[in-house]
Amino acid sequence: MTKLKSLLSLMQSMTKAEKKQFSMTISEEGDSSADYLLVYKILEQKKESTSAEIRQAFLLKKPKGSFDIAVNYLYDKLLDILLSLRKNKDSYFDLFQNILKAKMLFERSLFMESLELLKDVIEKAKRYENYYALLLASRLELNYLLHLNYLNTSEQDLYHKQYAIGDLLNLLRKINVQSSLYELLKHRLIYKGNIRSSKQKQEMNDLVVSELSIVASSNDSNFEITKMHQLFQANYLIGAGDYKAAFQSFKELTLLFESNDYLWANSPFEYLSTLEGVLESLRSIGNYEGMEYFISHLKNLTNYSSLDFRINALCLLFQYELFPMLDRGNFDGCNELIEKYKESLYDKFSWLSPIRQTELCLYTALVHFGNHQYKQAKKFINTITFNRNLGNLPLSRTIQLVKLMIYYEEGSFDIIRYETRSIKRKIALNNEKGFKIEQRMFWLLNKNPLPILQRTRDELWEKIRPNIEVLHSDKYESQILRLFDFTAWIQATILRKKLSEVLNEKFNAFSTNHSEEQK
């Protein structure tokens, strides 16, 4: 990625509050004619332009200016401002910044001031369980004491500090091993699927035994190890099909976060991410009833003091109140929910992070699509089509398919042929792995017209049905299907049925199978 593309992505990730802070900083510095500010203004006005067009726009205004230098300077300037906004708001940033301050003080022969600052960092790092900052500060303190010939430090004090570092390294080793086991578990569940054979069970059990041995040898009150244990257990239990026990592990994880809110580094972002992961897991197994418990905890975060955090938490709350209705095909209920959130969420769209904006537009477009409001659906989907931050993530591929669905319902088949060729060419050029659901969708989207006789359509569906339904058991394909069930639209289109009806049928069938598995 070139520096200009990196700059574009960085600017797209900035919230309204961050852009306001940038403008205030520039105003205070009185640097309004600088080249980098011109680049900023051009990028704000020409978000969808090519690199060449942006460069040309700059040179028209500043023929003797250096575009590349201005881009690099603006990129660094934005990073500095974003970092300054975290000051005194995030203990993680504060601790490492104070370590750098202590280092600078020592280099300027302010030895006592440096050691006092390191002492303060060590105490706070212990309180916030920031073991990496604690290790760095503790090791730096010993180095400085050595340089000062152990001023006011007895041998017993020295031994105590060395012993504490040894304990800390042992704890970090356990956390690293536990994290590695959790990463292996997630990788196997994603690419090998749920536990279905004795071999898979043995592979998973080996991970479970190793993980439990770490927990058994650790301090019960350690937040990081306890948190990782609950995540490990919950994901393993989902893979094993024990959803009831997995739900209990998720509940314990939530209670763990809420009873240790002082560890949130002055922002409950990690807790919000954890709740999102829990809700996503419960949705994937169809446990909508269980989602209600965590949605109630998510509501508490929408009262947080920071406006941008509050709005982003509200967006997540909206999504998980929407999903049970969207997955059932209840588009009328979805419409009512959108109206309910119009003032509190949609009218504050600019405060959302780029990913939240994208998700909100995608699911709103799907609701309009389900209600045959294709003009409104296109309006929302076009808002996010060119978001450079998405790359080729499943979210981006989902957006492409939804856009093609809208074109299909509008009868824009020439555009569909052009777009599908373009997508296929891009996948081939980048040596990417395409999704099977994309191939199925491309086949249907370009199969125009479909048979006129209903009997022929029924026969066509029965012919391709096995290849369509098997996609739901493919963990790779589920990355897209969990965002929206495109197989339902394929079925509805071929059989001339309402999308809401097919989604409801599939939802009921899934719920029945899930209930039987639980028994």
Side-chain angles (χ1 to χ4, degrees), residues 3-98:
K3 183 55 69 76
L4 179 58
K5 289 183 178 179
S6 299
L7 176 59
L8 281 165
S9 296
L10 182 62
M11 286 181 61
Q12 286 180 344
S13 73
M14 291 173 67
T15 65
K16 187 175 182 179
E18 290 168 343
K19 289 183 178 180
K20 183 178 179 180
Q21 181 61 43
F22 174 75
S23 298
M24 289 174 59
T25 302
I26 298 306
S27 179
E28 290 171 1
E29 293 178 353
D31 205 14
S32 58
S33 63
D35 288 0
Y36 74 91
L37 272 182
L38 176 59
V39 174
Y40 181 83
K41 291 175 183 176
I42 292 171
L43 293 180
E44 281 287 277
Q45 295 167 0
K46 301 177 178 292
K47 295 178 181 178
E48 313 307 335
S49 302
T50 64
S51 299
E53 290 170 341
I54 293 169
R55 182 185 292 271
Q56 184 62 30
F58 173 84
L59 293 175
L60 283 174
K61 296 278 187 178
K62 297 264 187 172
K64 296 182 179 180
S66 175
F67 178 73
D68 293 329
I69 291 176
V71 166
N72 289 331
Y73 187 85
L74 177 58
Y75 183 79
D76 292 337
K77 187 78 173 179
L78 289 175
L79 283 180
D80 289 341
I81 289 173
L82 292 174
L83 188 60
S84 70
L85 287 172
R86 304 298 289 267
K87 187 178 179 181
N88 300 323
K89 292 183 180 180
D90 190 324
S91 65
Y92 190 94
F93 281 80
D94 287 344
L95 288 172
F96 283 101
Q97 188 175 55
N98 283 339

Side-chain angles (χ1 to χ4, degrees), residues 123-166:
E123 290 175 357
K124 287 181 178 178
K126 288 178 181 177
R127 180 171 181 268
Y128 292 121
E129 295 190 20
N130 189 327
Y131 302 118
Y132 300 102
L134 178 57
L135 178 62
L136 184 57
S138 299
R139 190 67 257 172
L140 203 58
E141 181 189 41
L142 282 182
N143 291 342
Y144 289 168
L145 287 174
L146 173 61
H147 184 84
L148 297 173
N149 295 320
Y150 300 109
L151 181 67
N152 300 323
T153 304
S154 66
E155 184 173 332
Q156 187 173 357
D157 290 337
L158 177 61
Y159 179 76
H160 176 75
K161 292 179 186 295
Q162 292 172 331
Y163 187 81
I165 290 177

